[in-house]
Amino acid sequence: MIMPICETCGNDYDKTFDVLMHGEKHVFDSFECAISALAPVCAHCGTRIVGHGLERSGTFFCCKHCAEAEGVGGLRDRI
């Protein structure tokens, strides 16, 4: 039997899962690989945004501090 292959690490694993994003199917063997491939990146610090981030005009930030450090005001963290 041919097992699906994770698109991030290349592991062939019998417990992969599919993620449909923007009409495109992705196959992963772990949430870590899915996050690495699909989560947006903070425009200031470069961290992967796994929770509720902030966005202005298609630019993503992990928090208000990072947005302000890039000169983007008027955003607030979700509480």
Side-chain angles (χ1 to χ4, degrees):
M1 174 168 91
I2 298 174
M3 290 185 279
I5 296 174
C6 176
E7 69 180 60
T8 299
C9 71
N11 187 26
D12 57 343
Y13 183 54
D14 67 338
K15 293 175 181 62
T16 58
F17 58 93
D18 300 339
V19 174
L20 184 63
M21 185 172 181
H22 306 297
E24 187 175 333
K25 179 181 137 180
H26 301 271
V27 179
F28 302 104
D29 70 342
S30 68
F31 287 113
E32 180 181 11
C33 284
I35 289 167
S36 177
L38 302 178
V41 176
C42 178
H44 179 70
C45 71
T47 192
R48 293 278 176 187
I49 303 168
V50 180
H52 297 287
L54 303 171
E55 178 185 5
R56 167 76 50 85
S57 302
T59 301
F60 294 90
F61 303 97
C62 65
C63 63
K64 179 182 173 189
H65 168 80
C66 283
E68 289 176 348
E70 293 294 313
V72 177
L75 299 179
R76 65 185 194 126
D77 290 317
R78 296 177 187 202
I79 53 173

